[in-house]
Amino acid sequence: AHPDPSLSSLFAKENLGHMSEEQLNRYDRLINEPSNDWDIYYWATEAKPPPAEFDTDVMAMLREFAKNRNREQRLRQPDLEYLFEPPR
């Protein structure tokens, strides 16, 4: 299970278009090589340091993105519509 499936997909949506071929290759390795999605999440949110081979410019971009994303999530109020939906 992805801890935050939106983190890497939103990062990709915002960043892949202006990344160099080398950066795209590093991003591809990052999302495909570690065996555990939680590792990427921990590295991106700085809960754990990444291993040297993944501590790249792309990881720095992902960390920055995660910080901004967390700020957005804190600023945004949760949706309350579901409280008012009739039971199915």
Side-chain angles (χ1 to χ4, degrees), residues 16-28:
L16 295 193
H18 55 260
M19 286 165 70
S20 70
E21 193 174 337
E22 291 81 13
Q23 288 174 322
L24 292 172
N25 289 337
R26 285 193 286 275
Y27 180 72
D28 191 58

Side-chain angles (χ1 to χ4, degrees), residues 43-78:
W43 303 336
T45 57
E46 299 183 71
K48 290 182 181 174
E53 75 257 34
F54 294 118
D55 198 4
T56 64
D57 55 343
V58 172
M59 179 55 68
M61 291 167 69
L62 188 56
R63 274 195 209 113
E64 203 51 47
F65 182 80
K67 280 181 201 160
N68 293 335
R69 176 110 179 95
N70 287 342
R71 200 169 298 126
E72 283 167 23
Q73 287 176 332
R74 282 198 299 271
L75 291 173
R76 187 172 170 275
Q77 293 300 309

Side-chain angles (χ1 to χ4, degrees), residues 5-37:
S6 60
L7 185 68
S8 54
S9 58
L10 286 170
F11 173 82
K13 195 165 120 183
E14 276 192 27
N15 292 281
L16 295 193
H18 55 260
M19 286 165 70
S20 70
E21 193 174 337
E22 291 81 13
Q23 288 174 322
L24 292 172
N25 289 337
R26 285 193 286 275
Y27 180 72
D28 191 58
R29 275 189 59 215
L30 174 67
I31 59 171
N32 289 304
E33 284 189 22
S35 56
N36 191 337
D37 289 332

